């Protein structure tokens, strides 16, 4: 329909497109429980708009009313209740004569972005996102003030986010506005993926390995299933230790098992408590030889030296020769740590 050289949809086309768009948006959960509104301009001073609280899943013609750009209803015997966003619709039409449809809806992702006080900047993710451009955030709680702020974006943008009130989009047809809503949802999902990627990359990478002492480990509750990959909090270790090396030994903790060269078993290793403690300055001529049995069924013994004054014993040369290799290494490590 052409009026004064300008093309507008007819009343029938306008109402039909509103019903179809409402079904699409409500099917996506963007108009829950009758929230939101849709309007189509059908003349220089005429707009069809949905009434307040209309069920968008089963919208009918009697749930729409024709108004002029001042908000006065026509073609109805009894005035119908209109939403508080009516002024925003009318202000957009007055500010931009090229606008033929305005839709106010509540897409979940857009609602979350608005609640987080986030605007959408222009992006180059897809051609549709480039056409969408930016969406500024409107925070005014008063409907009249919000309408004024939205009208400022009528010629430069295709929509706005409204804090705690979803979003409002506009365009040259209902089909165009629906495409903006679809693009908005895609853009919001893409930004969420980007946020997760940036957040994951910002976390410090940690390499881990077992400390060798799961009995005293602060994460012992998971040691049974960590396969030796537990570690003290805040400490970074190499992901794999060279062959023959053990993890860091914490002060006061038992020595780790040192496997025997042949069968990798530590059943025959000498525990730290079975060996004598270090002595301080033992006179060699006062030493006497005593035998200390080795744990397990080993026939070998470790010789210890003790003086007559009862001071701590020390290992004699013959004891070092006769003691198992694992016991000697454990004793050397233990004494080194205790220094």
């Amino acid at each position: 329909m052409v009026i004064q050289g300008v093309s507008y949809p007819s009343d029938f086309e306008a109402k039909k497109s509103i019903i179809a768009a409402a079904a699409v948006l409500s099917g996506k959960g963007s108009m829950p429980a009758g929230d939101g509104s849709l309007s189509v301009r059908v003349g220089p001073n005429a707009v069809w708009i949905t009434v307040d609280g209309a069920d968008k899943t089963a919208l009918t013609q009697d749930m729409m009313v024709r108004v002029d750009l001042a908000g006065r209803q026509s073609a109805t015997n009894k005035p119908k209740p209109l939403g508080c966003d009516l002024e925003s619709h009318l202000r957009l039409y007055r500010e931009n004569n090229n606008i033929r449809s305005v839709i106010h809806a509540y897409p979940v992702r857009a609602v979350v972005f608005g609640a987080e006080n986030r605007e959408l900047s222009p992006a180059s993710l897809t051609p549709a996102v480039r056409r969408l451009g930016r969406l500024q955030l409107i925070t005014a709680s008063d409907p009249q003030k919000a309408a004024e702020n939205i009208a400022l974006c009528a010629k430069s943008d295709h929509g706005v986010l409204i804090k705690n009130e979803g979003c409002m989009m506009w365009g040259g047809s209902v089909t165009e506005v629906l495409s903006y809503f679809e693009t908005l949802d895609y853009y919001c999902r893409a930004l969420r993926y980007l946020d997760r990627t940036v957040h994951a990359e910002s976390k410090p990478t940690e390499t881990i390995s077992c400390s060798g002492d799961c009995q005293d480990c602060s994460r012992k509750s998971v040691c049974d299933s960590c396969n030796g990959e537990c570690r003290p909090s805040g400490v970074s270790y190499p992901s794999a230790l060279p062959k023959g090396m053990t993890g860091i030994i914490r002060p006061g903790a038992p020595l780790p098992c040192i496997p025997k060269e042949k069968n990798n078993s530590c059943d025959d290793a000498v525990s730290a408590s079975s060996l004598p403690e270090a002595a301080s300055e033992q006179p060699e001529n006062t030493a006497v030889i005593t035998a200390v049995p080795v744990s397990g069924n080993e026939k070998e013994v470790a010789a210890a030296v003790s003086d007559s004054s009862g001071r701590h014993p020390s290992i004699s040369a013959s004891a070092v020769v006769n003691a198992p290799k694992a016991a000697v290494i454990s004793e050397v490590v233990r004494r080194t740590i205790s220094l």
Side-chain angles (χ1 to χ4, degrees), residues 276 289-292 301-305 314-325 327-328:
I289 302 298
T290 60
V292 179
V301 295
V305 180
S314 61
I315 298 298
S316 66
S318 60
V320 172
V321 173
N322 296 328
K325 183 177 179 180
V328 175

Side-chain angles (χ1 to χ4, degrees), residues 148-161:
E148 295 176 2
N149 294 335
I150 293 172
L152 296 175
C153 306
K155 295 182 179 180
S156 59
D157 302 329
H158 297 297
V160 294
L161 298 179

Side-chain angles (χ1 to χ4, degrees), residues 27-244:
K28 295 181 178 180
S30 299
M31 289 187 157
D35 285 340
S37 57
L38 304 91
S39 67
V40 173
R41 188 173 186 173
V42 293
N45 192 34
V47 173
W48 280 98
I49 188 170
T50 55
V51 300
D52 186 31
D55 183 4
K56 309 305 188 297
T57 60
L59 196 64
T60 58
Q61 294 190 38
D62 61 345
M63 297 178 185
M64 290 174 272
V65 63
R66 180 169 171 152
V67 299
D68 60 18
L69 294 187
R72 294 184 293 267
Q73 298 185 29
S74 61
T76 179
N77 295 327
K78 183 179 180 181
K80 297 180 180 181
L82 298 176
C84 61
D85 57 356
L86 171 65
E87 185 60 26
S88 296
H89 285 256
L90 301 180
R91 285 293 299 267
L92 286 168
Y93 290 124
R94 292 198 295 264
E95 291 291 332
N96 189 345
N97 290 327
N98 294 322
I99 296 177
R100 293 292 178 269
S101 178
V102 178
I103 299 178
H104 180 199
Y106 294 79
V108 175
R109 295 181 179 90
V111 169
V112 173
F113 270 67
E116 294 175 344
N117 294 319
R118 296 181 60 176
E119 295 184 343
L120 294 180
S121 302
S124 300
L125 300 178
T126 69
V129 173
R130 287 193 289 272
R131 288 194 298 271
L132 177 64
R134 68 174 182 177
L135 270 76
Q136 299 185 60
L137 179 67
I138 304 300
T139 58
S141 57
D142 176 52
Q144 188 67 29
K145 184 64 176 178
E148 295 176 2
N149 294 335
I150 293 172
L152 296 175
C153 306
K155 295 182 179 180
S156 59
D157 302 329
H158 297 297
V160 294
L161 298 179
I162 310 173
K163 185 175 177 62
N164 299 326
E165 286 295 338
C167 64
M168 184 169 281
M169 312 286 282
W170 53 85
S173 66
V174 173
T175 302
E176 181 182 348
V177 179
L178 284 179
S179 70
Y180 290 147
F181 273 100
E182 184 177 356
T183 303
L184 171 62
D185 185 69
Y186 172 85
Y187 187 16
C188 291
R189 283 189 290 134
L191 288 179
R192 283 305 183 196
Y193 282 118
L194 290 173
D195 290 345
R196 293 173 189 171
T197 302
V198 171
H199 180 68
E201 291 178 351
S202 65
K203 290 183 178 179
T205 57
E206 297 178 331
T207 55
I208 58 174
S209 69
C210 186
S211 65
D213 176 28
C214 292
Q215 296 300 322
D216 290 343
C217 179
S218 60
R219 297 175 60 197
K220 184 180 184 299
S221 60
V222 296
C223 278
D224 294 336
S225 60
C226 73
N227 296 322
E229 292 299 322
C230 63
R231 58 174 174 76
S233 175
V235 180
S236 179
Y237 300 107
S239 58
L241 293 171
K243 184 178 180 180

